């Protein structure tokens, strides 16, 4: 895993780069949050491909639990991916609601992620 730092408007944004799954468990999400937080970074971009599919199955409660920790620590997050593949109405509603809060964003591109997090 590599953490690439983007500087935008005097703000640091951590982009998580990996060919492997970075978040497979709740603890992985917490470890990543802690790693970023203790580097004094409060904005992060991660790719859908680096997150277990269980995260996107709301019945597991993994997404809610991990994203609640991001909210508690005031670390803004953008998840980059193609979310049109999710058929579940509850997942679509979750993505829509998350995107309205601006704290957690589900976006299609890195550029869109950086734009959302820089504002």
């Amino acid at each position: 895993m590599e953490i690439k730092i983007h500087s935008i408007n005097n703000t640091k944004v951590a982009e998580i780069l990996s060919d492997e799954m970075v978040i497979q468990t709740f603890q992985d999400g917490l470890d990543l949050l802690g790693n970023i937080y203790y580097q004094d970074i409060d904005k992060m971009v991660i790719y859908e491909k680096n997150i277990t599919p269980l995260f996107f199955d709301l019945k597991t409660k993994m997404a809610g639990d991990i994203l609640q920790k991001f909210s508690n620590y005031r670390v803004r997050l953008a998840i980059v991916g193609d979310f049109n593949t999710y058929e579940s109405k509850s997942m679509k509603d979750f993505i829509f609601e998350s995107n309205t809060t601006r704290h957690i964003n589900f976006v299609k591109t890195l550029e869109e992620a950086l734009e959302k997090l820089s504002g």
Side-chain angles (χ1 to χ4, degrees):
M1 178 180 82
E2 176 189 349
I3 299 173
K4 180 178 180 181
I5 306 299
H6 298 269
S7 286
I8 304 166
N9 301 332
N10 297 322
T11 300
K12 292 189 288 186
V13 178
E15 178 186 7
I16 309 304
L17 300 168
S18 180
D19 291 330
E20 300 175 4
M21 203 149 311
V22 176
I23 298 177
Q24 294 186 54
T25 66
F26 174 71
Q27 189 60 49
D28 292 340
L30 287 183
D31 292 346
L32 184 59
L33 172 61
N35 186 340
I36 297 303
Y37 188 78
Y38 289 110
Q39 291 184 51
D40 200 29
I41 300 172
D42 64 356
K43 296 176 179 162
M44 185 174 88
V45 175
I46 191 166
Y47 293 88
E48 174 189 16
K49 69 178 185 173
N50 299 124
I51 304 172
T52 178
L54 292 174
F55 179 92
F56 299 98
D57 179 356
L58 295 181
K59 288 179 264 171
T60 68
K61 299 185 180 177
M62 184 183 289
D65 291 345
I66 290 174
L67 298 180
Q68 183 62 50
K69 292 294 182 185
F70 274 81
S71 292
N72 290 350
Y73 284 89
R74 294 190 169 95
V75 174
R76 291 181 60 197
L77 176 66
I79 302 173
V80 177
D82 179 8
F83 304 104
N84 292 326
T85 60
Y86 297 101
E87 301 283 325
S88 160
K89 180 180 177 349
S90 57
M91 187 64 196
K92 288 179 182 189
D93 290 346
F94 182 79
I95 289 170
F96 178 81
E97 289 299 321
S98 294
N99 285 348
T100 61
T101 67
R102 295 180 39 115
H103 193 78
I104 307 295
N105 296 278
F106 291 83
V107 297
K108 292 181 192 257
T109 65
L110 173 62
E111 293 75 22
E112 188 179 354
L114 295 174
E115 181 183 319
K116 294 267 187 192
L117 295 176
S118 67

